[in-house]
Amino acid sequence: MQNISAQPRFLLLQVIDPHYHQQEALRNMTELNSLVATFGGKVAAQAVQHRVKPDRATYVGSGKVEWLKEKVKEKKIDVVVLNDIVNSGQLFRLERMLWAVNPRIAVWDRIDLTLNIFDKHAQSKEAKLQIELARIEHQGPRIFGLGRTELSRQGAGIGTRGIGETNIERERRVIKHRKNKILKELKALQKQQQTRVEQRRSRGLKTAALIGYTSAGKTSLFNALSGKNKKSHQSLFTTLDSVVGHLAPRERSGDIIISDTIGFIENLPPALINTFRSTLMETLNADVLLHVVDIADAKMERKIRVVNEVLESLDATEQPVMIFNKIDLIPASRLAKMRRRYSGKQVFFVSAATGDGISELKTRLEATLN
Ligand SMILES: Nc1nc2c(ncn2[C@@H]2O[C@H](COP(=O)(O)OP(=O)(O)OP(=O)(O)O)[C@@H](O)[C@H]2O)c(=O)[nH]1
Ligand SMILES: [Mg+2]
Protein backbone atom coordinates (compact mmCIF):
# COMPACT_ATOMS: atom_id res chain seq x y z
CA MET A 1 0.00 0.00 0.00
CA GLN A 2 1.37 3.36 -0.89
CA ASN A 3 1.89 6.13 1.49
CA ILE A 4 -0.02 9.26 0.55
CA SER A 5 2.72 11.80 0.91
CA ALA A 6 2.18 15.50 1.38
CA GLN A 7 2.51 15.77 -2.38
CA PRO A 8 0.33 13.21 -4.15
CA ARG A 9 1.60 11.86 -7.45
CA PHE A 10 -0.63 12.41 -10.48
CA LEU A 11 -1.06 10.73 -13.81
CA LEU A 12 -2.87 12.90 -16.37
CA LEU A 13 -4.68 11.33 -19.26
CA GLN A 14 -6.45 13.05 -22.08
CA VAL A 15 -8.57 11.11 -24.51
CA ILE A 16 -8.90 12.89 -27.83
CA ASP A 17 -10.53 12.24 -31.11
CA PRO A 18 -7.80 11.56 -33.70
CA HIS A 19 -9.19 14.48 -35.71
CA TYR A 20 -9.02 16.84 -32.78
CA HIS A 21 -6.57 19.67 -32.99
CA GLN A 22 -3.28 18.56 -31.45
CA GLN A 23 -2.46 22.05 -30.29
CA GLU A 24 -5.76 22.40 -28.54
CA ALA A 25 -5.07 19.15 -26.67
CA LEU A 26 -1.68 20.45 -25.60
CA ARG A 27 -3.16 23.70 -24.38
CA ASN A 28 -5.67 21.80 -22.29
CA MET A 29 -2.91 19.68 -20.81
CA THR A 30 -0.91 22.76 -19.88
CA GLU A 31 -3.84 24.13 -17.96
CA LEU A 32 -4.43 20.76 -16.32
CA ASN A 33 -0.80 20.80 -15.19
CA SER A 34 -1.31 24.21 -13.57
CA LEU A 35 -4.44 22.96 -11.86
CA VAL A 36 -2.58 19.99 -10.40
CA ALA A 37 0.16 22.34 -9.20
CA THR A 38 -2.50 24.53 -7.59
CA PHE A 39 -3.87 21.49 -5.84
CA GLY A 40 -0.40 20.74 -4.54
CA GLY A 41 0.21 17.59 -6.55
CA LYS A 42 3.15 16.42 -8.63
CA VAL A 43 2.61 15.31 -12.21
CA ALA A 44 4.52 12.02 -12.46
CA ALA A 45 3.16 10.91 -15.84
CA GLN A 46 0.92 12.18 -18.60
CA ALA A 47 -0.43 10.80 -21.82
CA VAL A 48 -2.75 11.54 -24.69
CA GLN A 49 -4.92 8.69 -25.95
CA HIS A 50 -6.46 8.75 -29.39
CA ARG A 51 -9.97 7.35 -29.50
CA VAL A 52 -12.93 8.37 -31.56
CA LYS A 53 -15.26 7.98 -28.59
CA PRO A 54 -14.65 7.30 -24.89
CA ASP A 55 -15.35 3.74 -23.79
CA ARG A 56 -18.79 3.41 -22.24
CA ALA A 57 -17.68 1.29 -19.32
CA THR A 58 -14.29 2.61 -18.31
CA TYR A 59 -13.90 5.75 -20.44
CA VAL A 60 -10.39 4.71 -21.50
CA GLY A 61 -11.13 1.19 -22.78
CA SER A 62 -9.76 -2.16 -21.64
CA GLY A 63 -6.42 -1.93 -23.41
CA LYS A 64 -5.66 1.38 -21.79
CA VAL A 65 -6.75 0.09 -18.38
CA GLU A 66 -3.89 -2.44 -18.56
CA TRP A 67 -1.51 0.31 -19.56
CA LEU A 68 -2.78 2.43 -16.67
CA LYS A 69 -2.25 -0.40 -14.22
CA GLU A 70 1.37 -0.67 -15.26
CA LYS A 71 1.94 3.07 -15.07
CA VAL A 72 0.24 3.43 -11.71
CA LYS A 73 2.48 0.74 -10.31
CA GLU A 74 5.67 1.91 -11.97
CA LYS A 75 5.24 5.59 -11.18
CA LYS A 76 3.62 5.13 -7.77
CA ILE A 77 0.57 7.10 -8.80
CA ASP A 78 -1.94 8.29 -6.19
CA VAL A 79 -4.38 10.06 -8.48
CA VAL A 80 -5.33 9.54 -12.11
CA VAL A 81 -6.99 12.57 -13.69
CA LEU A 82 -9.01 12.28 -16.89
CA ASN A 83 -9.00 15.65 -18.57
CA ASP A 84 -12.70 15.73 -19.32
CA ILE A 85 -16.07 15.74 -17.64
CA VAL A 86 -16.64 12.05 -17.06
CA ASN A 87 -19.66 10.10 -15.91
CA SER A 88 -19.30 9.02 -12.27
CA GLY A 89 -20.08 5.38 -13.13
CA GLN A 90 -17.16 5.25 -15.56
CA LEU A 91 -14.85 6.85 -12.99
CA PHE A 92 -15.97 4.36 -10.38
CA ARG A 93 -15.42 1.35 -12.64
CA LEU A 94 -12.00 2.51 -13.67
CA GLU A 95 -11.05 3.22 -10.08
CA ARG A 96 -12.15 -0.24 -9.04
CA MET A 97 -10.05 -1.85 -11.74
CA LEU A 98 -7.01 0.04 -10.55
CA TRP A 99 -7.45 -1.14 -6.96
CA ALA A 100 -5.56 -4.24 -8.02
CA VAL A 101 -2.36 -2.22 -8.27
CA ASN A 102 -3.09 0.48 -5.71
CA PRO A 103 -5.98 0.01 -3.28
CA ARG A 104 -5.83 3.72 -2.47
CA ILE A 105 -5.95 5.00 -6.01
CA ALA A 106 -8.28 7.87 -6.82
CA VAL A 107 -9.61 8.48 -10.32
CA TRP A 108 -10.79 12.01 -10.89
CA ASP A 109 -12.17 13.96 -13.78
CA ARG A 110 -11.85 17.69 -14.26
CA ILE A 111 -14.77 18.39 -11.97
CA ASP A 112 -13.24 16.35 -9.14
CA LEU A 113 -9.93 18.12 -9.51
CA THR A 114 -11.55 21.54 -9.55
CA LEU A 115 -13.74 20.67 -6.56
CA ASN A 116 -10.76 19.44 -4.59
CA ILE A 117 -8.90 22.66 -5.33
CA PHE A 118 -11.92 24.68 -4.30
CA ASP A 119 -12.24 22.63 -1.17
CA LYS A 120 -8.68 23.43 -0.21
CA HIS A 121 -9.11 27.17 -0.68
CA ALA A 122 -12.69 27.89 0.27
CA GLN A 123 -13.12 30.15 3.27
CA SER A 124 -16.73 31.14 3.59
CA LYS A 125 -19.44 28.89 4.90
CA GLU A 126 -21.39 29.39 1.71
CA ALA A 127 -18.54 28.34 -0.56
CA LYS A 128 -17.92 25.26 1.57
CA LEU A 129 -21.57 24.26 1.39
CA GLN A 130 -21.71 24.81 -2.35
CA ILE A 131 -18.66 22.65 -2.84
CA GLU A 132 -20.08 19.89 -0.68
CA LEU A 133 -23.29 19.95 -2.64
CA ALA A 134 -21.54 19.82 -6.00
CA ARG A 135 -19.45 16.96 -4.72
CA ILE A 136 -22.45 14.94 -3.56
CA GLU A 137 -23.99 15.44 -6.96
CA HIS A 138 -20.90 14.52 -8.91
CA GLN A 139 -19.63 11.55 -6.93
CA GLY A 140 -22.35 9.11 -7.85
CA PRO A 141 -21.47 5.56 -6.77
CA ARG A 142 -18.07 6.70 -5.60
CA ILE A 143 -19.60 8.38 -2.61
CA PHE A 144 -20.15 5.22 -0.66
CA GLY A 145 -17.31 4.83 1.75
CA LEU A 146 -14.69 6.01 -0.66
CA GLY A 147 -12.85 8.55 1.38
CA ARG A 148 -10.42 9.06 -1.43
CA THR A 149 -11.44 12.40 -2.76
CA GLU A 150 -10.43 13.63 0.68
CA LEU A 151 -6.79 13.63 -0.41
CA SER A 152 -6.80 17.35 0.00
CA ARG A 153 -7.42 17.05 3.70
CA GLN A 154 -3.89 16.67 4.78
CA GLY A 155 -3.13 13.59 6.79
CA ALA A 156 -6.45 11.95 6.11
CA GLY A 157 -6.05 8.22 5.84
CA ILE A 158 -7.26 7.02 2.51
CA GLY A 159 -7.99 3.61 3.95
CA THR A 160 -11.60 2.57 3.90
CA ARG A 161 -12.50 0.37 0.99
CA GLY A 162 -16.25 0.68 1.09
CA ILE A 163 -19.19 0.15 3.30
CA GLY A 164 -20.68 -2.96 1.80
CA GLU A 165 -23.78 -3.28 -0.31
CA THR A 166 -26.15 -3.79 2.62
CA ASN A 167 -25.43 -0.41 4.07
CA ILE A 168 -25.85 1.48 0.84
CA GLU A 169 -29.57 2.06 1.26
CA ARG A 170 -29.03 3.54 4.70
CA GLU A 171 -26.15 5.62 3.41
CA ARG A 172 -28.29 6.88 0.56
CA ARG A 173 -30.84 8.19 3.03
CA VAL A 174 -28.13 9.91 5.07
CA ILE A 175 -26.79 11.60 1.96
CA LYS A 176 -30.22 12.71 0.84
CA HIS A 177 -30.84 14.17 4.27
CA ARG A 178 -27.50 16.00 4.19
CA LYS A 179 -28.26 17.37 0.72
CA ASN A 180 -31.57 18.79 1.85
CA LYS A 181 -29.94 20.36 4.87
CA ILE A 182 -27.28 22.02 2.71
CA LEU A 183 -29.90 23.35 0.31
CA LYS A 184 -31.82 24.83 3.21
CA GLU A 185 -28.74 26.47 4.72
CA LEU A 186 -27.73 27.84 1.33
CA LYS A 187 -31.15 29.30 0.81
CA ALA A 188 -30.90 31.13 4.13
CA LEU A 189 -27.44 32.43 3.29
CA GLN A 190 -28.59 33.58 -0.13
CA LYS A 191 -31.43 35.47 1.46
CA GLN A 192 -28.96 37.27 3.69
CA GLN A 193 -26.88 38.06 0.65
CA GLN A 194 -29.87 39.43 -1.22
CA THR A 195 -30.67 41.59 1.79
CA ARG A 196 -27.12 42.91 1.84
CA VAL A 197 -27.33 43.82 -1.83
CA GLU A 198 -30.64 45.58 -1.30
CA GLN A 199 -29.38 47.45 1.77
CA ARG A 200 -26.36 48.65 -0.14
CA ARG A 201 -28.61 49.84 -2.91
CA SER A 202 -31.01 51.64 -0.62
CA ARG A 203 -28.11 53.39 1.09
CA GLY A 204 -27.00 54.65 -2.28
CA LEU A 205 -23.80 52.61 -2.30
CA LYS A 206 -22.46 51.87 -5.76
CA THR A 207 -20.52 48.75 -6.55
CA ALA A 208 -17.87 47.86 -9.06
CA ALA A 209 -17.07 44.17 -9.40
CA LEU A 210 -13.79 42.72 -10.59
CA ILE A 211 -14.18 39.65 -12.75
CA GLY A 212 -11.87 37.81 -15.12
CA TYR A 213 -9.94 34.69 -15.89
CA THR A 214 -8.20 33.08 -12.95
CA SER A 215 -4.79 34.65 -12.21
CA ALA A 216 -5.47 37.80 -14.26
CA GLY A 217 -4.70 39.88 -11.19
CA LYS A 218 -8.16 40.63 -9.80
CA THR A 219 -7.13 40.38 -6.17
CA SER A 220 -3.98 42.42 -6.73
CA LEU A 221 -6.14 45.06 -8.34
CA PHE A 222 -8.69 44.81 -5.56
CA ASN A 223 -5.89 45.49 -3.09
CA ALA A 224 -4.61 48.43 -5.13
CA LEU A 225 -8.09 49.96 -5.33
CA SER A 226 -9.29 49.29 -1.79
CA GLY A 227 -6.04 49.59 0.13
CA LYS A 228 -6.63 46.13 1.53
CA ASN A 229 -4.17 43.31 1.58
CA LYS A 230 -5.86 40.16 0.39
CA LYS A 231 -3.83 37.16 -0.63
CA SER A 232 -2.87 37.04 -4.26
CA HIS A 233 -0.86 34.22 -5.74
CA GLN A 234 0.59 32.83 -8.91
CA SER A 235 -1.51 29.69 -8.67
CA LEU A 236 -5.00 29.40 -10.15
CA PHE A 237 -8.08 29.89 -7.99
CA THR A 238 -6.42 31.74 -5.14
CA THR A 239 -9.71 33.49 -4.51
CA LEU A 240 -12.92 31.54 -4.07
CA ASP A 241 -15.14 33.83 -2.08
CA SER A 242 -16.54 37.19 -2.88
CA VAL A 243 -15.14 40.00 -0.75
CA VAL A 244 -15.93 43.66 -0.73
CA GLY A 245 -14.01 46.77 0.25
CA HIS A 246 -14.41 50.50 -0.17
CA LEU A 247 -12.66 52.32 -2.95
CA ALA A 248 -9.84 54.11 -1.14
CA PRO A 249 -9.48 56.75 0.11
CA ARG A 250 -13.03 56.70 1.26
CA GLU A 251 -13.20 60.41 2.13
CA ARG A 252 -12.61 61.20 -1.51
CA SER A 253 -14.42 58.45 -3.34
CA GLY A 254 -17.57 58.47 -1.26
CA ASP A 255 -19.43 55.25 -1.08
CA ILE A 256 -18.07 53.09 -3.81
CA ILE A 257 -17.70 49.39 -3.10
CA ILE A 258 -15.25 47.17 -4.92
CA SER A 259 -15.78 43.43 -4.96
CA ASP A 260 -13.37 40.64 -5.77
CA THR A 261 -14.43 37.12 -6.55
CA ILE A 262 -13.52 33.74 -7.98
CA GLY A 263 -11.85 33.69 -11.39
CA PHE A 264 -13.21 31.91 -14.41
CA ILE A 265 -11.58 29.12 -16.34
CA GLU A 266 -12.04 27.44 -19.66
CA ASN A 267 -14.09 24.25 -19.61
CA LEU A 268 -15.61 25.26 -16.32
CA PRO A 269 -17.98 22.39 -15.79
CA PRO A 270 -21.60 23.57 -15.87
CA ALA A 271 -22.15 21.99 -12.45
CA LEU A 272 -19.56 24.35 -11.06
CA ILE A 273 -21.07 27.38 -12.71
CA ASN A 274 -24.21 26.55 -10.81
CA THR A 275 -22.16 25.99 -7.69
CA PHE A 276 -20.83 29.48 -7.87
CA ARG A 277 -23.89 31.19 -9.24
CA SER A 278 -24.78 32.48 -5.82
CA THR A 279 -21.22 33.48 -4.93
CA LEU A 280 -21.22 35.39 -8.18
CA MET A 281 -24.67 36.81 -7.67
CA GLU A 282 -23.35 39.65 -5.59
CA THR A 283 -20.92 40.36 -8.40
CA LEU A 284 -23.50 40.28 -11.13
CA ASN A 285 -25.60 42.77 -9.22
CA ALA A 286 -22.83 45.35 -9.44
CA ASP A 287 -23.31 48.70 -11.15
CA VAL A 288 -20.12 48.24 -13.12
CA LEU A 289 -18.33 45.06 -14.11
CA LEU A 290 -14.58 45.39 -14.50
CA HIS A 291 -13.17 42.64 -16.67
CA VAL A 292 -9.55 42.17 -15.65
CA VAL A 293 -7.29 40.83 -18.41
CA ASP A 294 -3.67 39.74 -18.13
CA ILE A 295 -2.18 41.68 -21.04
CA ALA A 296 1.06 39.68 -20.85
CA ASP A 297 -0.68 36.35 -21.33
CA ALA A 298 -0.13 34.75 -24.73
CA LYS A 299 -3.63 33.29 -24.50
CA MET A 300 -5.21 36.64 -23.70
CA GLU A 301 -7.70 36.76 -26.58
CA ARG A 302 -8.94 33.29 -25.89
CA LYS A 303 -9.35 33.96 -22.18
CA ILE A 304 -11.32 37.12 -22.92
CA ARG A 305 -13.71 34.99 -24.96
CA VAL A 306 -14.02 32.41 -22.19
CA VAL A 307 -14.89 35.09 -19.66
CA ASN A 308 -17.52 36.53 -21.97
CA GLU A 309 -19.01 33.09 -22.47
CA VAL A 310 -19.18 32.38 -18.75
CA LEU A 311 -20.81 35.77 -18.20
CA GLU A 312 -23.35 34.91 -20.83
CA SER A 313 -24.12 31.58 -19.22
CA LEU A 314 -24.69 33.41 -15.95
CA ASP A 315 -27.17 35.70 -17.69
CA ALA A 316 -25.12 38.81 -16.99
CA THR A 317 -26.49 41.66 -19.02
CA GLU A 318 -24.05 44.36 -18.00
CA GLN A 319 -21.34 45.05 -20.58
CA PRO A 320 -18.01 44.90 -18.73
CA VAL A 321 -15.32 47.57 -18.86
CA MET A 322 -11.99 46.04 -19.87
CA ILE A 323 -9.03 46.51 -17.57
CA PHE A 324 -5.76 45.39 -19.11
CA ASN A 325 -3.53 44.57 -16.16
CA LYS A 326 0.19 43.73 -15.84
CA ILE A 327 1.31 46.36 -18.34
CA ASP A 328 4.66 46.32 -16.55
CA LEU A 329 5.30 42.93 -18.15
CA ILE A 330 5.07 43.94 -21.81
CA PRO A 331 7.35 46.08 -23.99
CA ALA A 332 6.37 49.73 -24.42
CA SER A 333 5.89 49.21 -28.15
CA ARG A 334 3.28 46.53 -27.58
CA LEU A 335 1.50 48.64 -25.02
CA ALA A 336 1.39 51.55 -27.49
CA LYS A 337 -0.07 49.25 -30.12
CA MET A 338 -2.76 48.04 -27.74
CA ARG A 339 -3.62 51.59 -26.75
CA ARG A 340 -4.08 52.49 -30.39
CA ARG A 341 -6.17 49.41 -31.01
CA TYR A 342 -8.55 50.30 -28.20
CA SER A 343 -8.51 54.07 -28.54
CA GLY A 344 -11.93 55.60 -28.12
CA LYS A 345 -13.15 52.56 -26.22
CA GLN A 346 -13.79 52.40 -22.51
CA VAL A 347 -10.69 50.46 -21.53
CA PHE A 348 -7.92 50.94 -18.99
CA PHE A 349 -4.29 49.94 -18.97
CA VAL A 350 -2.93 49.39 -15.50
CA SER A 351 -0.39 47.56 -13.40
CA ALA A 352 -1.51 46.45 -10.00
CA ALA A 353 2.13 45.73 -9.27
CA THR A 354 3.59 49.17 -10.01
CA GLY A 355 0.44 51.22 -9.47
CA ASP A 356 0.55 52.52 -13.03
CA GLY A 357 -2.85 53.69 -14.26
CA ILE A 358 -4.56 52.99 -10.93
CA SER A 359 -5.36 56.58 -10.01
CA GLU A 360 -6.81 57.18 -13.46
CA LEU A 361 -9.01 54.15 -13.01
CA LYS A 362 -10.13 55.38 -9.60
CA THR A 363 -10.96 58.81 -10.93
CA ARG A 364 -13.03 57.32 -13.70
CA LEU A 365 -14.89 55.03 -11.31
CA GLU A 366 -15.67 57.97 -9.05
CA ALA A 367 -16.92 60.00 -11.97
CA THR A 368 -19.06 57.18 -13.33
CA LEU A 369 -20.51 55.96 -10.08
CA ASN A 370 -21.00 59.06 -7.96
N1 LIG B 1 4.00 41.76 -12.92
C1 LIG B 1 2.75 41.83 -12.47
N2 LIG B 1 2.22 40.81 -11.80
C2 LIG B 1 0.95 40.93 -11.35
C3 LIG B 1 0.17 42.09 -11.56
N3 LIG B 1 -1.05 41.89 -11.02
C4 LIG B 1 -1.02 40.65 -10.49
N4 LIG B 1 0.17 40.06 -10.68
C5 LIG B 1 0.58 38.70 -10.28
O1 LIG B 1 -0.27 37.76 -10.92
C6 LIG B 1 -0.55 36.66 -10.07
C7 LIG B 1 -2.05 36.50 -9.91
O2 LIG B 1 -2.55 37.61 -9.20
P1 LIG B 1 -3.90 37.56 -8.36
O3 LIG B 1 -4.19 38.96 -7.94
O4 LIG B 1 -3.87 36.50 -7.31
O5 LIG B 1 -4.90 37.11 -9.50
P2 LIG B 1 -6.45 36.73 -9.39
O6 LIG B 1 -7.06 37.14 -10.67
O7 LIG B 1 -7.02 37.28 -8.15
O8 LIG B 1 -6.32 35.14 -9.34
P3 LIG B 1 -7.33 34.03 -8.71
O9 LIG B 1 -7.91 34.57 -7.46
O10 LIG B 1 -6.41 32.87 -8.47
O11 LIG B 1 -8.33 33.77 -9.78
C8 LIG B 1 0.16 36.95 -8.77
O12 LIG B 1 1.39 36.26 -8.77
C9 LIG B 1 0.37 38.45 -8.80
O13 LIG B 1 1.50 38.86 -8.04
C10 LIG B 1 0.78 43.17 -12.29
O14 LIG B 1 0.21 44.23 -12.53
N5 LIG B 1 2.06 42.98 -12.71
MG1 LIG C 1 -7.93 36.35 -6.61
Side-chain angles (χ1 to χ4, degrees), residues 2 68-70 72-73 97-105:
Q2 283 160 29
L68 271 175
K69 279 184 183 166
E70 267 168 44
V72 165
K73 205 164 157 187
M97 289 172 127
L98 296 178
W99 280 352
V101 283
N102 176 6
R104 297 177 161 194
I105 194 80

Side-chain angles (χ1 to χ4, degrees), residues 25 42 53 71 86 93 96 127 135 140 145 171 175 226 231 235 239-241 257 268 280 286 337 349:
K42 179 184 165 56
K53 240 166 123 183
K71 275 285 168 207
V86 183
R93 276 189 290 274
R96 235 177 12 189
R135 180 170 272 170
E171 191 74 354
I175 290 164
S226 68
K231 187 177 153 211
S235 62
T239 311
L240 285 173
D241 305 302
I257 303 272
L268 190 72
L280 290 166
K337 206 168 144 195
F349 294 91

Side-chain angles (χ1 to χ4, degrees), residues 116-369:
N116 281 307
I117 291 171
F118 285 1
D119 198 27
K120 244 179 149 173
H121 293 188
Q123 301 276 330
S124 75
K125 177 145 190 235
E126 180 166 21
K128 282 182 191 297
L129 288 171
Q130 285 173 335
I131 291 161
E132 194 183 343
L133 188 65
R135 180 170 272 170
I136 288 176
E137 277 165 5
H138 183 57
Q139 274 195 325
R142 299 175 299 158
I143 208 165
F144 301 112
L146 299 171
R148 275 159 259 219
T149 40
E150 310 298 316
L151 260 181
S152 59
R153 295 205 182 109
Q154 239 249 320
I158 300 294
T160 53
R161 162 60 63 84
I163 57 167
E165 296 291 326
T166 49
N167 286 329
I168 285 187
E169 271 315 309
R170 191 180 55 87
E171 191 74 354
R172 232 181 225 135
R173 272 201 307 279
V174 172
I175 290 164
K176 198 169 161 203
H177 184 75
R178 177 71 194 139
K179 202 171 145 181
N180 287 337
K181 193 156 176 258
I182 295 174
L183 285 170
K184 232 170 157 174
E185 279 184 58
L186 278 175
K187 215 168 175 183
L189 285 168
Q190 278 153 21
K191 219 167 174 179
Q192 283 173 19
Q193 202 181 41
Q194 188 67 41
T195 314
R196 271 204 306 275
V197 170
E198 278 158 18
Q199 274 171 353
R200 246 180 247 146
R201 260 209 195 123
S202 66
R203 277 166 54 204
L205 294 181
K206 299 285 185 185
T207 50
L210 297 160
I211 52 143
Y213 207 86
T214 183
S215 233
K218 299 175 296 299
T219 302
S220 307
L221 214 49
F222 172 82
N223 288 338
L225 291 170
S226 68
K228 291 205 175 185
N229 192 15
K230 276 206 54 206
K231 187 177 153 211
S232 67
H233 198 266
Q234 221 177 343
S235 62
L236 310 180
F237 294 123
T238 306
T239 311
L240 285 173
D241 305 302
S242 295
V243 279
V244 296
H246 280 269
L247 185 68
R250 213 173 150 180
E251 319 64 76
R252 201 188 78 185
S253 70
D255 281 330
I256 296 177
I257 303 272
I258 303 286
S259 78
D260 177 27
T261 190
I262 182 170
F264 301 160
I265 190 168
E266 191 163 12
N267 299 325
L268 190 72
L272 295 185
I273 293 193
N274 271 329
T275 301
F276 284 88
R277 198 178 280 273
S278 85
T279 301
L280 290 166
M281 190 209 77
E282 217 160 332
T283 293
L284 298 177
N285 270 297
D287 299 288
V288 179
L289 287 182
L290 304 172
H291 178 172
V292 183
V293 175
D294 178 349
I295 199 170
D297 189 337
K299 295 177 219 130
M300 177 185 84
E301 303 283 350
R302 190 185 176 83
K303 290 182 177 179
I304 291 175
R305 270 205 306 280
V306 170
V307 169
N308 287 333
E309 279 162 21
V310 176
L311 280 178
E312 221 168 275
S313 69
L314 288 165
D315 306 318
T317 46
E318 200 75 39
Q319 191 64 29
V321 174
M322 304 269 271
I323 315 278
F324 289 101
N325 185 34
K326 310 196 189 181
I327 57 169
D328 57 297
L329 294 180
I330 61 166
S333 56
R334 210 182 134 228
L335 179 57
K337 206 168 144 195
M338 286 291 282
R339 282 189 198 274
R340 278 199 300 277
R341 188 169 139 197
Y342 283 94
S343 75
K345 298 228 172 74
Q346 253 252 44
V347 301
F348 293 86
F349 294 91
V350 304
S351 164
T354 64
D356 246 11
I358 298 292
S359 70
E360 197 190 329
L361 175 59
K362 278 187 178 179
T363 309
R364 187 67 76 81
L365 283 174
E366 286 158 6
T368 316
L369 291 170

Side-chain angles (χ1 to χ4, degrees), residues 74-122:
E74 179 199 338
K75 300 277 184 186
K76 296 188 168 41
I77 300 298
D78 301 301
V79 187
V80 172
V81 182
L82 306 175
N83 194 14
D84 198 354
I85 299 172
V86 183
N87 170 303
S88 57
Q90 289 169 315
L91 290 168
F92 183 56
R93 276 189 290 274
L94 183 56
E95 190 169 270
R96 235 177 12 189
M97 289 172 127
L98 296 178
W99 280 352
V101 283
N102 176 6
R104 297 177 161 194
I105 194 80
V107 179
W108 294 351
D109 70 349
R110 228 180 134 91
I111 300 188
D112 290 317
L113 177 60
T114 318
L115 279 174
N116 281 307
I117 291 171
F118 285 1
D119 198 27
K120 244 179 149 173
H121 293 188

